[in-house]
Amino acid sequence: MKKSRGIISLILVAAVMVLLGVTAIRGLDADGMGAAKNINLGLDLEGGVSITYQVKGDTPSQEDMDDTVYKMQRRVEQYSTEAQAYQEGDNRISIEIPGVEDANTILEELGQPGSLYFIKHYDSDGNENYTLGADGYVLNKNIEELQGTDSIVLTGSEVETATAGSYQESTTGATEYGVDLVLNDEGTAAFAAATQEAYNNGNDTIAIYYDGDLISVPQVNSVIENGRAQISGAGMTYEEADNIASTIRIGGLNLELEEISSKVVGAQLGEEAISTSLMAGAIGLAIVCVFMIFVYLLPGLASSIALVFYTGLILVLLNAFDVTLTLPGIAGIILGIGMAVDANVIIFARVKEELSAGASVHAALKAGFHKAMSAILDGNITTLIAAAVLWFRGSGPVRGFAQTLALGIVVSMFTALVVTRIIIFSLYALGIRNPKVYGRVKAPRKPIDFLGKRKVFFIVSILLCISGFVGMGINHARGIGAMNYSLDFAGGTATTVTFDKEYTLDEIDSQMIPDLEDITSDNNIQVQTVQGTNQVVFKTQTLDLDEREAFATYMQDEFGVTEEITTENISSTVSSEMRTDAAVAVILATVCMLLYIWFRFKDIRFATSAVLALIHDVLVVLAFYVIARVSVGNTFIACMLTIVGYSINATIVIFDRIREELKADGKAADNPAVLKELVNRCITQTLTRSIYTSLTTFITIAVLYVMGVSSIKEFALPLMVGIVCGAYSSVCITGALWFTMKTKGMKMSAVNALADKGAAAEPVKAAEKAAAEKGKASAGGNAQNKPAAKKNSSASSADKDSGKGQAHSVRRYSKNRSQKD
């Protein structure tokens, strides 16, 4: 690169950084579009709308309530991945949608969840169920009269999805809009029979009824046997199609609901949590930048600039992609920062190796980026695969985490491989070419015998993994629960208190929460203020009668609360279906990562070792949750997912180095001793990277832990344990696991070779025995002839030497045969 191009490149980078900074602070227009202040925040950081529905009719079964809560959860996720739906009491369902202040708008868009039916035009006696009147189609009978008859073709519960879509009109080629329906297996069979009947009856109609109205009466133009139908009509707009699709989705409930209250609630964590988190992030970023500059000098400066570039770009993209940011989302961004630092550390470690080998600065820089490419791509793509699976299969906070994680990975790869490269080569083009400013060149470190201690590492890891399950058993026997489940997982009590004045969250945190934690025995109380009122909702673990009375007495004595204090049991916000979704998503992500690593490394043992180490890290952190009694809530899922992404990335770097060394020394794969030395050397070579990456990520989380509020501390502490555990497993476990599996196969080959040797040596042994007997006989016949005896003795010695030579030949043949096999 010429000097002029280097100057232009640096100016462009600086200009883009200024643009990102201005956009993040002020926005792109008068409304602040693109500004960081306009990033959508979740209920825990900003607040939103809370709507409560009640089931019409008799008290429903718990099975119907669980099904309805789950379906409502999936529907409100169209507004935000962080929206929540949970049961309140026996027959109420509350939904909370972050980042919204107008409950009426949500109610209009969401509609009144009720019963949905697909109705035949004619009943079994030939009477019309509905007719066309002056104001459109009307139902001739009450829906109660039609229920349970063959006039009902489908109910909403048999519709899997309903979405607005577009298609090309076959005659004119114009774009038309319609509603695409997908039915379940039961609905597919029933709809096939109904459309067959309507089609045979002169392309008759089937009406769609919802909440007292016929919302659509489409004509049947063909028999639909595959469970996929399309409702279309000339002139239908996208908005009309979308409204019909939304209504059909809402109507697919087992229960009919009515809205009884709606309110705007404040953030659960308060402004202090946001401000301290932002301050902690800035301090952590500054410490990481100083560390990188101190360790890597000029390349460290380049990576620090790229890291600031990364932060600005993330803030702008969070706004651009309308991502809702919560604590799990912050975890994804933190992981992205860790990976951005990791990529730079890998590159600069390679540069230092090339400089140590005597390469010029330019050659070292080119080789460093080139050799680091495979490790960076494999590590990030593996984690990106996990993020994609979590997005498609997960729900709620899992999807929010996957969204920010994927965004962070893509941006971190861009900044490491493009921005850092541009900056470092531009600085080189400006004439900064002294090798001393590109890293402190040190003599190669003597390989550490990690594999020699692998049995100790395995025993320690097994004990750590088992300790969690043992702790669960002990906790269960003590009657305190296997884990300390928060109300997110176990449900709890919502206590609504009306004060004589309006309190802020910060005032509540400082004046009430410490005392309430003692009264309720809950260290993770969630608080929400109700906008426009003096009401505050305290969500805690389930309170017994004594605790409720103590709560009420405290409020009356300390704050003069005279209004009635209402309490209601609430279900977990993380339903069993959501837990199942999360578990299935993690399992699928793990399988996909295993297949990718297998494909890339051409060895199932690499993939198996990586996945086993990943499971090890998750189990160790789980043990920490059990033993330390850390609250298990939404942040638990985010913490575990973060560890999965972080652990696999660190492992890939070591395996990439082993793969590279094996290509350079193909014979090492056939000799356990040489292979052991190679693996130890690879782990030692990447040890600095493992330590530096873990340390920089740990620093970021540690600052968040020190400065954060209690709920953030409960998130940060297990995450720090996971980072340390991930570094330990990458260095001490993964390489040892792969070596153990690899050499086990080599030992089996050696056993087979030994067996071949024994079979081939039998004729030789027989010949040696015959020769020995013949020698004895000859010696006996000439016992008095000492010179002759001495001669025979020499001959016998020669025979033995000959036998050794033959045996050696058999051993070599056997080994070669084993290798060939």
Side-chain angles (χ1 to χ4, degrees):
M1 180 184 292
K2 295 181 180 180
K3 185 175 181 178
S4 56
R5 289 181 60 188
I7 294 174
I8 294 173
S9 297
L10 289 177
I11 292 174
L12 286 175
V13 170
V16 173
M17 290 184 66
V18 171
L19 178 62
L20 289 175
V22 172
T23 302
I25 296 172
R26 300 181 61 88
L28 295 173
D29 56 20
D31 296 327
M33 187 181 111
K37 64 182 180 181
N38 292 331
I39 293 175
N40 293 331
L41 301 177
L43 280 166
D44 51 358
L45 299 178
E46 183 181 40
V49 162
S50 174
I51 301 173
T52 302
Y53 291 98
Q54 183 169 289
V55 178
K56 289 184 178 181
D58 299 332
T59 301
S61 66
Q62 190 58 48
E63 182 180 356
D64 283 341
M65 285 295 291
D66 291 341
D67 178 73
T68 305
V69 168
Y70 178 64
K71 289 179 178 178
M72 288 293 288
Q73 170 68 43
R74 299 312 297 258
R75 286 172 186 170
V76 296
E77 284 176 7
Q78 66 181 303
Y79 301 101
S80 169
T81 57
E82 305 302 328
Q84 297 177 349
Y86 56 90
Q87 181 178 341
E88 186 174 338
D90 295 329
N91 63 346
R92 292 182 181 180
I93 295 174
S94 290
I95 64 171
E96 295 178 343
I97 305 173
V100 178
E101 296 182 356
D102 187 355
N104 291 327
T105 301
I106 295 296
L107 287 170
E108 290 175 4
E109 294 179 358
L110 188 61
Q112 190 70 45
S115 299
L116 181 79
Y117 300 99
F118 287 63
I119 304 172
K120 292 181 183 180
H121 190 180
Y122 294 94
D123 61 19
S124 56
D125 297 326
N127 300 315
E128 284 189 296
N129 290 318
Y130 52 86
T131 54
L132 180 61
D135 297 326
Y137 283 95
V138 293
L139 203 60
N140 296 332
K141 305 175 183 178
N142 294 329
I143 192 65
E144 289 76 12
E145 296 179 85
L146 295 175
Q147 290 175 345
T149 69
D150 62 355
S151 292
I152 301 295
V153 178
L154 300 173
T155 63
S157 60
E158 292 159 334
V159 179
E160 285 193 353
T161 61
T163 56
S166 62
Y167 64 96
Q168 298 294 324
E169 210 283 328
S170 58
T171 305
T172 63
T175 300
E176 302 281 352
Y177 298 99
V179 179
D180 296 320
L181 298 178
V182 178
L183 310 177
N184 62 18
D185 293 340
E186 183 180 354
T188 297
F191 203 57
T195 53
Q196 178 74 66
E197 180 181 337
Y199 182 72
N200 293 339
N201 195 24
N203 299 106
D204 205 354
T205 57
I206 293 179
I208 303 175
Y209 170 92
Y210 174 74
D211 199 27
D213 296 313
L214 296 177
I215 61 171
S216 181
V217 187
Q219 185 178 31
V220 177
N221 294 323
S222 63
V223 180
I224 301 171
E225 298 178 337
N226 62 356
R228 295 180 177 273
Q230 186 179 74
I231 302 171
S232 59
M236 181 184 290
T237 65
Y238 178 82
E239 288 74 18
E240 290 172 338
D242 190 47
N243 286 336
I244 294 174
S246 177
T247 301
I248 292 174
R249 288 196 304 270
I250 294 166
L253 300 174
N254 293 342
L255 303 175
E256 190 171 356
L257 307 176
E258 60 179 341
E259 180 256 327
I260 61 173
S261 70
S262 60
K263 54 194 175 186
V264 177
V265 295
Q268 295 172 353
L269 298 181
E271 294 181 2
E272 182 184 357
I274 301 175
S275 60
T276 55
S277 297
L278 291 175
M279 181 63 69
I283 293 174
L285 186 63
I287 294 174
V288 168
C289 290
V290 170
F291 175 83
M292 291 294 291
I293 294 171
F294 174 77
V295 173
Y296 292 107
L297 304 180
L298 189 66
L301 174 63
S303 67
S304 298
I305 296 172
L307 203 56
V308 175
F309 189 100
Y310 165 89
T311 305
L313 190 55
I314 281 289
L315 291 175
V316 173
L317 292 178
L318 284 174
N319 194 315
F321 288 103
D322 206 25
V323 176
T324 300
L325 189 61
T326 63
L327 276 182
I330 292 174
I333 294 176
I334 290 171
L335 182 56
I337 292 175
M339 289 187 168
V341 174
D342 181 38
N344 285 301
V345 170
I346 295 171
I347 293 169
F348 300 148
R350 288 287 195 171
V351 171
K352 289 177 70 173
E353 289 178 10
E354 295 297 321
L355 290 173
S356 300
S360 65
V361 172
H362 189 265
L365 289 174
K366 290 187 66 176
F369 278 93
H370 176 73
K371 291 185 176 181
M373 180 71 73
S374 61
I376 294 172
L377 289 179
D378 285 340
N380 284 277
I381 290 174
T382 304
T383 312
L384 197 59
I385 289 172
V389 175
L390 294 174
W391 167 257
F392 286 112
R393 291 292 307 176
S395 59
V398 175
R399 298 190 76 193
F401 170 83
Q403 202 172 16
T404 52
L405 175 60
L407 186 63
I409 290 170
V410 173
V411 175
S412 70
M413 280 198 294
F414 170 75
T415 53
L417 297 177
V418 178
V419 178
T420 304
R421 185 186 184 97
I422 291 174
I423 294 172
I424 198 70
F425 277 101
S426 297
L427 293 174
Y428 177 84
L430 291 178
I432 306 176
R433 302 180 180 183
N434 189 333
K436 293 181 179 180
V437 301
Y438 287 88
R440 298 176 178 88
V441 178
K442 298 179 181 179
R445 181 188 286 115
K446 182 180 179 181
I448 302 172
D449 188 15
F450 289 102
L451 298 190
K453 304 176 182 64
R454 63 184 182 278
K455 291 183 179 179
V456 176
F457 294 144
F458 289 164
I459 292 173
V460 170
S461 293
I462 290 171
L463 291 176
L464 288 174
C465 293
I466 293 175
S467 66
F469 299 104
V470 174
M472 287 182 184
I474 294 174
N475 290 339
H476 182 73
R478 292 171 57 195
I480 60 175
M483 299 182 74
N484 182 22
Y485 293 109
S486 72
L487 60 90
D488 292 329
F489 272 68
T493 301
T495 305
T496 303
V497 181
T498 303
F499 293 94
D500 58 359
K501 71 170 189 175
E502 187 175 350
Y503 284 93
T504 65
L505 273 180
D506 294 335
E507 291 174 332
I508 295 170
D509 286 339
S510 61
Q511 299 177 29
M512 304 180 194
I513 294 302
D515 294 328
L516 290 177
E517 287 179 347
D518 294 334
I519 293 172
T520 62
S521 301
D522 186 356
N523 295 324
N524 193 25
I525 298 175
Q526 295 182 11
V527 182
Q528 287 181 321
T529 57
V530 180
Q531 186 174 346
T533 71
N534 294 337
Q535 286 185 342
V536 178
V537 181
F538 298 88
K539 296 180 182 179
T540 63
Q541 295 177 353
T542 303
L543 304 180
D544 57 29
L545 183 59
D546 292 338
E547 290 171 331
R548 292 187 183 192
E549 290 179 352
F551 192 109
T553 302
Y554 170 77
M555 288 297 174
Q556 292 168 0
D557 294 344
E558 299 295 329
F559 298 95
V561 176
T562 57
E563 298 285 341
E564 181 181 359
I565 298 176
T566 61
T567 59
E568 194 77 61
N569 287 333
I570 58 176
S571 71
S572 61
T573 56
V574 182
S575 65
S576 58
E577 290 86 354
M578 289 175 66
R579 296 182 213 180
T580 302
D581 288 345
V584 170
V586 171
I587 291 172
L588 285 177
T590 303
V591 171
C592 290
M593 287 190 290
L594 187 149
L595 293 175
Y596 177 79
I597 298 171
W598 186 6
F599 168 76
R600 285 288 291 146
F601 287 84
K602 306 295 189 294
D603 187 345
I604 188 63
R605 285 165 292 211
F606 279 120
T608 306
S609 302
V611 171
L612 287 176
L614 184 152
I615 295 172
H616 162 275
D617 295 344
V618 169
L619 290 179
V620 172
V621 176
L622 179 67
F624 177 77
Y625 269 97
V626 172
I627 296 170
R629 299 295 291 172
V630 178
S631 179
V632 176
N634 269 333
T635 56
F636 169 79
I637 296 176
C639 180
M640 289 301 184
L641 295 176
T642 304
I643 291 163
V644 167
Y646 190 84
S647 173
I648 200 74
N649 188 62
T651 298
I652 290 293
V653 175
I654 295 176
F655 283 171
D656 181 76
R657 185 62 67 97
I658 293 175
R659 175 178 59 180
E660 181 182 319
E661 293 287 331
L662 285 175
K663 288 181 179 179
D665 185 5
K667 295 181 180 179
D670 301 321
N671 189 319
V674 177
L675 186 63
K676 179 181 178 181
E677 182 183 352
L678 182 147
V679 175
N680 279 328
R681 184 170 68 251
C682 291
I683 297 175
T684 304
Q685 288 173 345
T686 56
L687 183 61
T688 300
R689 171 262 158 211
S690 300
I691 294 174
Y692 286 173
T693 303
S694 300
L695 182 60
T696 51
T697 311
F698 185 89
I699 289 171
T700 308
I701 305 295
V703 176
L704 195 64
Y705 174 80
V706 172
M707 299 185 61
V709 296
S710 58
S711 55
I712 292 180
K713 289 179 184 290
E714 288 195 337
F715 164 70
L717 186 59
L719 204 54
M720 288 191 291
V721 174
I723 291 170
V724 173
C725 181
Y728 160 76
S729 66
S730 298
V731 173
C732 302
I733 301 298
T734 50
L737 280 173
W738 178 82
F739 175 79
T740 301
M741 287 187 282
K742 178 75 173 178
T743 53
K744 185 177 180 181
M746 294 166 65
K747 288 177 181 176
M748 290 303 298
S749 297
V751 169
N752 294 333
L754 190 61
D756 292 342
K757 167 190 169 181
E762 285 301 323
V764 177
K765 291 181 178 179
E768 288 178 347
K769 185 175 180 181
E773 291 297 331
K774 182 178 180 181
K776 286 181 181 179
S778 177
N782 300 280
Q784 302 301 321
N785 192 340
K786 292 182 180 179
K790 185 176 181 179
K791 182 178 180 181
N792 286 336
S793 177
S794 300
S796 177
S797 177
D799 289 339
K800 288 181 181 179
D801 291 341
S802 176
K804 287 181 181 178
Q806 292 175 22
H808 182 64
S809 298
V810 172
R811 187 180 295 113
R812 289 183 59 189
Y813 165 76
S814 177
K815 179 178 179 182
N816 291 336
R817 177 182 176 185
S818 174
Q819 291 176 2
K820 184 177 180 181
D821 293 340

